[in-house]
Amino acid sequence: MRTRSLPAPLPPAERTVGQLVAETIRAYGDNFWRALPLGLPLAVSTQLSLGHTSNVQTFVLFAFSPLIALAYVGAVRIVHGVAPTPAAWLIGVLVFAPAPFLTRVLILPAVAWLALFGQAVPAAMIERLGFRAALERGRKLALADYVHALGSLSALVVVVGISELTLIALLRSQGDNGQRVAHALADVVLSPLLYLGGALLYLDQAARVSSRTPKPRSRDADLHPPDDADAAGHPDPQVEP
């Protein structure tokens, strides 16, 4: 039976939200064992806060900001093959720290915040920028197509959230221990998708910045040179009879 070949993926400048999610899953599959430890910080924070009040959960997640930022830096290293920098880690801590408090309102404000400044981390590593320059570059990358950045991160959150709920429902057995194991496995296995997707989003936003940068124009603005009225030594330009 003859099968249809899948269409070639669009370049980053034209990549859709769905394609970014698909590329994130592909990148995770290609680097599964390297990326799997990225889920440990979120899994440990969940275990420490499980069963406690929302205030405790927020504080625990905030306290784990340095480790979660380190996981994001690790994802950028896996996806782009670049060495981490102290500036990238510090920016990751600064960017993620407000997210636990924003989730107290709704998840969307936290995602919107991360979409606006999260690209500063890969910018610091890939472009080797300092702290302030990377923050400014991250904001510029986000605003190149903020709808795409916000939509991509929102889609990743939805995919990971639904997948976690499904996996927890399948793994949970009776008793509190079963619930804890289910949450731990779900966080470890699925949360790396969030970091890898954020790292891949850099390519999309950087390509959009480049595509919208106007190209330098030549001085003659691509016009043909004017006719030389005295090219043949006559006072008037030659014309066809």
Side-chain angles (χ1 to χ4, degrees):
M1 182 176 178
R2 190 174 181 179
T3 59
R4 275 183 161 183
S5 59
L6 295 175
L10 293 173
E14 304 172 14
R15 191 151 52 191
T16 63
V17 170
Q19 285 183 323
L20 177 70
V21 173
E23 289 300 319
T24 300
I25 296 173
R26 187 199 305 272
Y28 191 18
D30 293 341
N31 303 276
F32 179 76
W33 293 112
R34 294 176 62 198
L36 189 63
L38 301 179
L40 290 175
L42 190 58
V44 174
S45 67
T46 301
Q47 292 301 302
L48 292 176
S49 61
L50 199 63
H52 293 280
T53 64
S54 58
N55 289 333
V56 173
Q57 293 174 356
T58 300
F59 175 77
V60 171
L61 193 58
F62 170 76
F64 270 75
S65 295
L67 293 179
I68 291 174
L70 190 63
Y72 187 23
V73 169
V76 176
R77 182 175 186 177
I78 290 173
V79 171
H80 299 287
V82 292
T85 64
W89 177 73
L90 288 174
I91 292 170
V93 175
L94 177 65
V95 169
F96 183 78
F101 301 97
L102 293 173
T103 56
R104 296 292 300 275
V105 182
L106 280 175
I107 189 66
L108 185 59
V111 177
W113 169 265
L114 296 174
L116 185 59
F117 292 105
Q119 292 306 299
V121 174
M125 294 176 61
I126 298 170
E127 303 179 28
R128 316 309 287 182
L129 299 177
F131 186 86
R132 178 178 295 183
L135 282 174
E136 179 61 28
R137 175 63 171 168
R139 186 182 66 86
K140 184 178 180 180
L141 288 170
L143 296 180
D145 191 345
Y146 185 68
V147 173
H148 178 72
L150 178 59
S152 298
L153 293 186
S154 299
L156 286 168
V157 169
V158 170
V159 169
V160 171
I162 293 177
S163 301
E164 282 200 355
L165 291 175
T166 304
L167 186 58
I168 288 171
L170 291 173
L171 296 175
R172 184 165 51 193
S173 60
Q174 295 181 351
D176 184 61
N177 289 334
Q179 183 180 6
R180 285 187 173 275
V181 171
H183 275 279
L185 290 176
D187 284 336
V188 170
V189 173
L190 294 172
S191 62
L193 287 169
L194 300 173
Y195 309 121
L196 295 171
L200 279 171
L201 182 60
Y202 169 86
L203 295 175
D204 292 15
Q205 299 301 106
R208 282 163 167 78
V209 170
S210 300
S211 65
R212 295 182 181 184
T213 302
K215 297 180 180 180
R217 297 175 62 89
S218 59
R219 293 180 61 186
D220 57 10
D222 295 331
L223 298 176
H224 293 290
D227 292 331
D228 188 353
D230 196 27
H234 298 284
D236 298 319
Q238 285 185 327
V239 296
E240 291 293 333

